[in-house]
Amino acid sequence: MSDAFQELKRRLLEINDLGAANALLSWDQATYMPPGGGEARGRQMATLARLGHERFTDPALGKLLDELRAFEASQPYDSDDASLVRITRREYERATCVPVDLVSELNEHQAATYRAWTEARPANDFARVRPLLEKTLELSRRLAECFPHEHVADPLIEAADHGMKAETVRKLFVELRAKLVPIVKTITDRPAADDSFLRRQAAEADQLAFGRSVIERFGYDFERGRQDKTHHPFMTKFSLGDVRITTRVRDDDLTDALFSTMHEAGHALYEQGIDRRLEGTPLGGGTSAGVHESQSRTWENLVGRSREFWEFFHPRLQAAFPEQLGRVSLDALYRAVNKVQRSLIRTDADEVTYNLHVMLRFDLELELLEGKLAVKELPEAWHARYQADLGIRAPDDRDGVLQDVHWFGGRMGGNFQGYTLGNVMSAQFYQAALAAHPGIPGEIRQGRFATLHGWLKSQLYRHGSKFTAAEIVERATGKPLTIEPYVQYLKRKYGELYTL
Ligand code: ZN
């Protein structure tokens, strides 16, 4: 193997280590850091991020990539080595397209906007963040202008979901929305499922122990991970041998922590399943926001909200919480965890309405970037769209336009499509897994997940970022991305639940 290739790997490993150290600082900030550490921690993280960016955009790295063109061409496309050069070049070109001044302006603006949002949301004060958001929009357009594109949102979408374009996503979403709106209407015209028994008090330790027992069965490896508590649950990784998750526990909600645990464990199973040979390179992580989300949703919803899953876990949950659930039947529990309702908060939304929350945000992002909508009109546009799609209106901006952190994290565009792409992909992958192994539902009924986990590892996880989302969908399912399996899944499941 050539010296240039060895030198490339050496440099990438160093950059990877800077990123991993930064991720550890960030995890600590969200879990155990005392408040007094906040100020220095922000600076420390910025320092590491700057060092990583400087090393990654070093012209010497670009020169190595040039030297490696012949080497890359001599290797098969799907080999680890050719993939490493190809993906590193793609990311190098992305990183070097943006002028250094714009990068630092974006970072500073991001920190200021986030700080303002943490105060503006509880105060229901959109006016406070409005000028900042106008600046965000301007910076996001400038960022987009650094790249060749058809639509101004394309480069911003690319950053999270490489290979996806505004037009492709918009088309997919228009189709999906047309199917979802009538389903939501039919279901919500019926009497709602009773889930009041899930709101009973339950001790934190018991909830955590139950969640842990579930994800251990999924295959989450606690020898290569751990779970801690945070305000907002997330998954993070310091190496393929250390993939961590966090959760939050509400003592008056029996399943909130459980579903968030399954969700984050899904992200973590993906990362833990990556081939160890890809460790320390740009290939050693999940390939896109959409594919990542497809895995969290697979374990949280397709598995965790399935009837088979609850056939196994219903008696176990009852045994863990006899006072709260001793008299609740399997049927009642299954209906409760699949309750569909028109709601205001995306993160609390059920499977059927969730994508409507996502798509309206995606459309608003495009309208803002296209200049069809001004930031000052955003709160009202938000309310109008909730009325049209979900038939409800938030009483204020706190649960309206100020609801999600994404727009107050420094970029406008590319923030949301991954969630719905993930849902759509999850059903397509799952359908392919079932076609290969029709026994999977029967195994889930017995609390066994190894066949499903094994299929996902071999088809998706082990490849890390070697392939784009579109490539991985084709390779694993034999077809391009389509909404059909997802729509079929929702119709079958909710058709039965609500006798549609
Ligand atoms: Zn997620």
Side-chain angles (χ1 to χ4, degrees):
M1 211 174 296
S2 76
D3 290 351
F5 189 70
Q6 289 308 331
E7 175 61 10
L8 178 73
K9 284 183 83 165
R10 191 193 63 75
R11 283 171 179 261
L12 291 174
L13 188 61
E14 204 173 70
I15 294 160
N16 170 80
D17 290 349
L18 287 167
N22 213 353
L24 180 56
L25 290 184
S26 168
W27 170 86
D28 176 68
Q29 185 181 42
T31 50
Y32 299 111
M33 186 188 76
E39 208 183 314
R41 184 57 51 88
R43 187 195 66 239
Q44 292 155 352
M45 288 166 62
T47 301
L48 286 179
R50 182 173 50 76
L51 289 175
H53 184 78
E54 276 169 16
R55 286 187 192 215
F56 192 63
T57 53
D58 185 342
L61 196 115
K63 208 168 149 267
L64 282 172
L65 288 167
D66 280 341
E67 285 169 36
L68 286 165
R69 279 187 196 277
F71 170 74
E72 181 192 355
S74 73
Q75 307 290 317
Y77 179 85
D78 59 0
S79 68
D80 291 354
D81 294 352
S83 301
L84 179 63
V85 179
R86 180 176 71 250
I87 301 300
T88 305
R89 180 178 296 112
R90 183 185 86 196
E91 295 307 310
Y92 175 80
E93 283 168 2
R94 252 199 96 73
T96 51
C97 261
V98 186
V100 182
D101 291 352
L102 182 56
V103 174
S104 43
E105 206 178 341
L106 273 162
N107 289 342
E108 273 164 43
H109 179 67
Q110 172 172 358
T113 313
Y114 176 75
R115 270 198 307 276
W117 174 75
T118 57
E119 288 162 18
R121 187 177 181 217
N124 186 35
D125 187 4
F126 181 73
R128 166 136 196 223
V129 288
R130 189 184 130 188
L132 290 162
L133 215 48
E134 282 163 351
K135 177 90 187 281
T136 302
L137 187 57
E138 184 222 312
L139 288 172
S140 304
R141 286 208 189 98
R142 274 169 57 198
L143 181 64
E145 289 312 320
C146 299
F147 305 91
H149 59 260
E150 287 159 32
H151 188 284
V152 59
D154 286 351
L156 300 151
I157 293 172
E158 284 259 328
D161 290 285
H162 184 85
M164 295 289 172
K165 292 197 183 328
E167 218 27 64
T168 338
V169 179
R170 180 146 52 188
K171 258 181 143 159
L172 204 76
F173 284 8
V174 165
E175 262 183 85
L176 186 59
R177 182 164 171 248
K179 305 263 187 201
L180 286 177
V181 171
I183 300 179
V184 170
K185 175 148 187 7
T186 317
I187 293 179
T188 49
D189 282 347
R190 311 258 164 121
D194 174 21
D195 63 349
S196 56
F197 48 81
L198 297 179
R199 303 285 106 73
R200 292 175 184 158
Q201 294 286 322
E204 180 181 297
D206 296 339
Q207 292 200 41
L208 288 171
F210 191 83
R212 189 185 162 108
S213 74
V214 171
I215 63 172
E216 267 172 345
R217 281 188 179 269
F218 284 176
Y220 177 77
D221 181 358
F222 276 93
E223 291 294 309
R224 295 193 291 136
R226 52 179 285 135
Q227 184 182 41
D228 295 87
K229 284 197 305 164
T230 39
H231 194 56
H232 296 291
F234 63 88
M235 182 277 305
T236 186
K237 180 188 67 175
F238 315 130
S239 71
L240 296 177
D242 191 353
V243 182
R244 303 189 189 183
I245 56 175
T246 68
T247 189
R248 61 162 182 236
V249 181
R250 293 182 183 159
D251 58 8
D252 62 348
D253 192 316
L254 264 163
T255 49
D256 184 63
L258 175 62
F259 283 108
S260 112
T261 297
M262 290 196 270
H263 181 99
E264 300 309 329
H267 285 300
L269 287 170
Y270 186 3
E271 296 284 333
Q272 285 188 337
I274 293 170
D275 193 324
R276 298 295 278 262
R277 287 178 312 180
L278 306 179
E279 172 90 282
T281 75
L283 303 181
T287 192
S288 73
V291 177
H292 237 298
E293 201 63 12
S294 79
Q295 292 317 295
S296 57
R297 304 297 270 181
T298 293
W299 293 98
E300 176 195 0
N301 288 339
L302 297 177
V303 173
R305 285 190 163 86
S306 70
R307 195 167 183 100
E308 295 81 18
F309 176 92
W310 285 107
E311 281 176 30
F312 183 78
F313 282 108
H314 167 251
R316 284 163 179 81
L317 194 67
Q318 277 187 316
F321 302 101
E323 276 170 42
Q324 298 90 334
L325 298 176
R327 292 159 182 279
V328 175
S329 69
L330 165 64
D331 225 50
L333 184 61
Y334 177 59
R335 296 178 74 82
V337 300
N338 287 296
K339 180 179 182 176
V340 177
Q341 58 192 333
R342 302 172 190 272
S343 65
L344 292 171
I345 308 294
R346 173 183 63 86
T347 52
D348 295 339
D350 55 81
E351 274 185 291
V352 185
T353 57
Y354 185 85
N355 299 295
L356 295 176
H357 293 262
V358 172
M359 291 187 277
L360 71 86
R361 286 157 175 78
F362 175 79
D363 290 344
L364 292 173
E365 283 191 330
L366 291 196
E367 285 178 36
L368 286 163
L369 285 164
E370 288 165 356
K372 289 182 184 155
L373 182 70
V375 169
K376 66 168 193 269
E377 301 163 328
L378 186 58
E380 200 38 53
W382 178 286
H383 291 311
R385 186 69 189 266
Y386 261 85
Q387 193 71 57
D389 283 10
L390 286 141
I392 45 170
R393 183 189 170 98
D396 51 27
D397 293 331
R398 188 190 346 234
D399 288 339
V401 74
L402 293 171
Q403 168 180 147
D404 299 296
V405 62
H406 306 57
W407 287 341
F408 307 96
R411 311 281 152 95
M412 177 61 71
N415 288 304
F416 289 101
Q417 74 286 330
Y419 295 114
T420 285
L421 290 173
N423 283 328
V424 171
M425 282 177 203
S426 70
Q428 191 167 338
F429 288 136
Y430 200 61
Q431 191 184 60
L434 292 182
H437 303 285
I440 285 174
E443 290 183 14
I444 294 178
R445 216 169 263 133
Q446 300 164 347
R448 294 193 288 123
F449 303 91
T451 304
L452 174 62
H453 187 202
W455 186 89
L456 290 167
K457 267 196 286 195
S458 74
Q459 298 296 318
L460 273 68
Y461 301 173
R462 70 187 171 95
H463 299 307
S465 291
K466 277 169 71 172
F467 306 112
T468 65
E471 287 170 342
I472 208 110
V473 169
E474 282 266 11
R475 289 174 65 101
T477 72
K479 290 184 206 99
L481 185 65
T482 150
I483 63 165
E484 283 320 312
Y486 186 58
V487 172
Q488 272 172 30
Y489 159 74
L490 289 179
K491 280 193 166 160
R492 193 177 319 117
K493 176 172 173 180
Y494 290 90
E496 195 188 293
L497 267 164
Y498 286 89
T499 49
L500 299 180

